[in-house]
């Protein structure tokens, strides 16, 4: 499991991707160009392709709409390029985007945009 909330800044600050998700190539570019993302992606791809590597990798962030889904798509592409079969499942990509992060994530849930 990889929690990227503290490792990668939230790309949703880029107003042009607010209504997009990590399946969109533009969002993937924004995520990939976030400081630290390329190194994280390379490390995860190396780990995923070890002979006794993991059967599953879970990537999470505050809402699952930009960082987690974009990085997951990029990782799947990198692992497939190394000749491995990859199945991707996005659990939260369809949910409304998170508007703000809670002060204490253990006691409060982030507010989400109302469905239009």
């Amino acid at each position: 499991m990889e929690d990227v909330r503290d490792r990668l800044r939230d790309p949703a600050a880029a107003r042009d991707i607010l209504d997009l998700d990590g399946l969109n190539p533009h969002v993937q570019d924004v995520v990939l160009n976030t400081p630290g993302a390329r190194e994280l992606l390379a490390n995860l791809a190396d780990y995923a392709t070890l002979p006794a590597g993991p059967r599953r990798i879970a990537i999470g962030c505050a809402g699952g709409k930009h960082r987690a889904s974009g990085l997951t798509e990029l990782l799947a592409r990198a692992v497939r390029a190394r000749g491995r079969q990859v199945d991707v499942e996005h659990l939260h990509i369809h949910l409304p985007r998170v508007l703000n992060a809670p002060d204490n994530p253990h006691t409060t849930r982030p507010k989400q945009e109302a469905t239009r």
Side-chain angles (χ1 to χ4, degrees):
M1 289 182 61
E2 187 67 40
D3 181 348
V4 298
R5 288 177 296 179
D6 293 331
R7 296 191 69 174
L8 303 178
R9 79 169 186 276
D10 188 357
R15 311 245 348 121
D16 61 329
I17 68 167
L18 283 177
D19 295 324
L20 304 175
D21 60 41
L23 300 177
N24 186 291
H26 181 56
V27 174
Q28 293 171 19
D29 287 342
V30 171
V31 170
L32 189 59
N33 289 308
T34 300
R38 291 178 191 274
E39 295 80 9
L40 176 59
L41 180 61
N43 289 339
L44 288 172
D46 288 345
Y47 178 57
T49 56
L50 288 172
R55 293 180 48 84
R56 292 183 180 183
I57 294 177
I59 301 174
C61 63
K65 197 161 192 80
H66 299 103
R67 285 174 288 190
S69 59
L71 190 62
T72 297
E73 291 296 320
L74 293 164
L75 178 59
R77 187 178 311 139
V79 172
R80 286 182 187 122
R82 297 181 186 197
R84 300 289 178 101
Q85 179 182 341
V86 177
D87 295 318
V88 174
E89 180 180 10
H90 294 287
L91 300 179
H92 301 112
I93 198 168
H94 66 285
L95 296 176
R97 67 183 165 86
V98 172
L99 294 177
N100 63 347
D103 292 332
N104 183 346
H106 301 291
T107 60
T108 313
R109 298 187 62 105
K111 293 180 184 176
Q112 293 188 324
E113 180 179 51
T115 306
R116 296 177 204 196

